[in-house]
Amino acid sequence: MEILEFNNPRADSSPRVLLNALSGNCSISGNSYVEDTKRFYQPILDWINQYTCERQGALTWDIKLDYFNSSSKKLLTILFKKLHKYQAQGGKVVVNWHCPMDDEELFEEIDQIMDVSRLKINILKLSR
């Protein structure tokens, strides 16, 4: 199992992704309003499937999304459902979502994702 990293610096619409199978540290940062959201997120979902079957180690996710559209929210919810399933089977998962202290709309979005995925997400409020 390897490190999965991808980023398109010329496209503000796609986030930077770093998934490290050795350390269990994972991050998604930037913006997410890619045209084909399912295609973009599929390698991440596949990586989670492989990691939870082969490695079965602790995972720490740091999410630093400034903006995401509704189709990205749907795929993020699927991602977090997978992590919740892994956690329910005994896997250790920590998700930290870094966001501006005054972004009430983002807090509501994260709460909705938590409700649907049933995964606890730590909201880390950052001053601007």
Side-chain angles (χ1 to χ4, degrees), residues 90-107:
K92 183 169 171 36
V93 177
V94 175
V95 177
N96 300 311
W97 198 309
H98 306 259
C99 53
M101 187 177 295
D102 59 349
D103 196 338
E104 293 298 324
E105 187 175 318
L106 181 55
F107 300 153

Side-chain angles (χ1 to χ4, degrees), residues 40-57:
F40 181 86
Y41 279 91
Q42 192 59 54
I44 301 169
L45 299 174
D46 293 343
W47 186 93
I48 292 170
N49 288 338
Q50 186 179 2
Y51 184 91
T52 58
C53 288
E54 293 178 13
R55 287 264 180 198
Q56 300 177 348

Side-chain angles (χ1 to χ4, degrees), residues 29 34 47 53 55 57 63 73 76 87-88 94 106-107 110 119:
S29 58
V34 290
W47 186 93
C53 288
R55 287 264 180 198
I63 310 298
K73 179 180 176 180
L76 287 166
Q87 191 176 57
V94 175
L106 181 55
F107 300 153
I110 297 168
L119 181 70

Side-chain angles (χ1 to χ4, degrees), residues 5-41:
E5 181 174 17
F6 51 98
N7 182 29
N8 184 350
R10 292 173 295 194
D12 286 340
S13 62
S14 61
R16 179 175 189 271
V17 176
L18 177 59
L19 311 177
N20 188 328
L22 300 174
S23 67
N25 294 327
C26 305
S27 65
I28 301 175
S29 58
N31 295 308
S32 184
Y33 54 97
V34 290
E35 204 159 301
D36 189 348
T37 310
K38 196 169 192 176
R39 182 175 174 196
F40 181 86
Y41 279 91

Side-chain angles (χ1 to χ4, degrees), residues 52-126:
T52 58
C53 288
E54 293 178 13
R55 287 264 180 198
Q56 300 177 348
L59 287 170
T60 301
W61 286 76
D62 285 296
I63 310 298
K64 299 174 184 174
L65 289 173
D66 298 323
Y67 173 79
F68 55 93
N69 63 5
S70 58
S71 61
S72 293
K73 179 180 176 180
K74 180 178 179 180
L75 269 293
L76 287 166
T77 302
I78 291 169
L79 184 155
F80 293 135
K81 282 181 178 182
K82 285 185 174 294
L83 294 176
H84 176 263
K85 181 178 178 184
Y86 176 57
Q87 191 176 57
Q89 295 169 345
K92 183 169 171 36
V93 177
V94 175
V95 177
N96 300 311
W97 198 309
H98 306 259
C99 53
M101 187 177 295
D102 59 349
D103 196 338
E104 293 298 324
E105 187 175 318
L106 181 55
F107 300 153
E108 289 177 25
E109 295 285 346
I110 297 168
D111 280 341
Q112 290 172 4
I113 292 171
M114 274 195 289
D115 286 345
V116 174
S117 70
R118 299 187 330 238
L119 181 70
K120 168 79 170 105
I121 298 173
N122 302 312
I123 299 173
L124 305 177
K125 297 179 181 179
L126 308 172

